[in-house]
Amino acid sequence: MNNSLIYEQKIIKYSRKELIELVKKAVSTSRFEHILRVEAMALRLAKSYQVNLEKASIAALVHDYAKERIDQDFIDEIMSKKLDPKLLNANNAIWHGVVGAELIKDELEVWDEDILNAVRHHTTGSPEMSMLEQIIFMADYIEEGRNFNGVDEARQLTFNNLQDGVRFQIKQTIQYLIERSKNIYPSAIDTYNAWVAK
Ligand SMILES: [Fe+2]
Ligand SMILES: [Fe+2]
């Protein structure tokens, strides 16, 4: 199904095939394969929730475009675009989404704000997420290569009700981090408070 998708809406200047080639050059083979699986899952979700398929495909294909960049690339981008200086204290996990969106604009000429927000928010989620953002957030979590405890439940929930899937992921992730005494990004806590906390 995903191989037959042809971009017709002029959301970006590239064909799907060209975009795939550009992404392939930017990441390792294993990450590239993850990206293709995220696209396949994002397209399934977009179909079932009637979200624009081309946007879902583009957002999925670019979501980890910047993941393997060196730290200095992100720091340079934060400085030259005068992004929030607090971002300088973050690391790759946050940068590849929030700052990655800027690199995607510069290098791939993706300008659609919904797509860019889906990239920005795919790691920690966000208090407010569009359907497209929710789809990319979930597709990254439940793509067919994932096999953590509870992934089947996550998939089932997500296809039943997208928002339930989002809540499940946020809660599981925070729980996982707490159990291992790991650092939680403040933006992930904001997401938790907006989506899960009663
Ligand atoms: Fe990512
Ligand atoms: Fe990813």
Side-chain angles (χ1 to χ4, degrees), residues 34 62-65 67 93 96-98 117-125 129 133 136-138 140 169:
H34 157 70
V62 302
H63 87 281
D64 275 343
Y65 172 77
K67 179 73 184 170
H96 85 279
V98 178
N117 281 333
V119 174
R120 290 184 180 109
H121 299 149
H122 83 268
T123 308
T124 61
M129 284 191 277
E133 291 179 67
I136 299 305
F137 184 67
M138 291 317 301
D140 195 24
Q169 175 181 178

Side-chain angles (χ1 to χ4, degrees), residues 18-190:
E18 289 167 336
L19 183 60
I20 287 174
E21 281 311 307
L22 290 164
V23 170
K24 190 177 185 177
K25 282 190 203 125
V27 296
S28 64
T29 306
S30 63
R31 189 165 320 276
F32 177 65
E33 286 166 2
H34 157 70
I35 287 168
L36 292 181
R37 291 192 302 267
V38 173
E39 190 210 19
M41 184 59 78
L43 285 171
R44 282 178 57 194
L45 289 168
K47 265 204 168 161
S48 104
Y49 290 108
Q50 283 152 30
V51 165
N52 186 306
L53 294 180
E54 287 189 33
K55 288 195 186 194
S57 165
I58 296 163
L61 290 174
V62 302
H63 87 281
D64 275 343
Y65 172 77
K67 179 73 184 170
E68 293 173 18
R69 301 288 279 260
I70 58 167
D71 289 357
Q72 194 60 45
D73 286 6
F74 296 111
I75 293 164
D76 291 346
E77 192 74 5
I78 293 165
M79 304 301 262
S80 70
K81 294 260 176 103
K82 299 192 167 51
L83 304 181
D84 184 351
K86 281 205 283 298
L87 274 172
L88 290 169
N89 305 322
N91 60 29
N92 178 280
I94 297 294
W95 285 339
H96 85 279
V98 178
V99 188
E102 299 300 318
L103 295 168
I104 288 159
K105 281 192 225 174
D106 298 347
E107 297 171 15
L108 302 177
E109 298 179 60
V110 175
W111 305 109
D112 184 280
E113 275 298 316
D114 201 11
I115 293 174
L116 294 168
N117 281 333
V119 174
R120 290 184 180 109
H121 299 149
H122 83 268
T123 308
T124 61
S126 178
E128 279 178 39
M129 284 191 277
S130 70
M131 292 290 281
L132 180 69
E133 291 179 67
Q134 293 174 43
I135 282 175
I136 299 305
F137 184 67
M138 291 317 301
D140 195 24
Y141 187 62
I142 63 168
E143 56 94 340
E144 287 300 332
R146 302 286 194 203
N147 63 357
F148 56 87
N149 252 332
V151 69
D152 289 330
E153 188 187 355
R155 289 187 182 118
Q156 215 170 14
L157 274 173
T158 305
F159 277 94
N160 245 330
N161 181 304
L162 185 58
Q163 284 75 37
D164 285 347
V166 171
R167 278 187 278 272
F168 181 86
Q169 175 181 178
I170 295 164
K171 199 171 171 176
Q172 290 298 119
T173 303
I174 298 266
Q175 228 159 31
Y176 176 94
L177 295 170
I178 287 173
E179 278 162 13
R180 284 159 189 76
S181 301
K182 290 198 175 211
N183 181 60
I184 302 173
Y185 303 110
S187 49
I189 295 176
D190 292 340

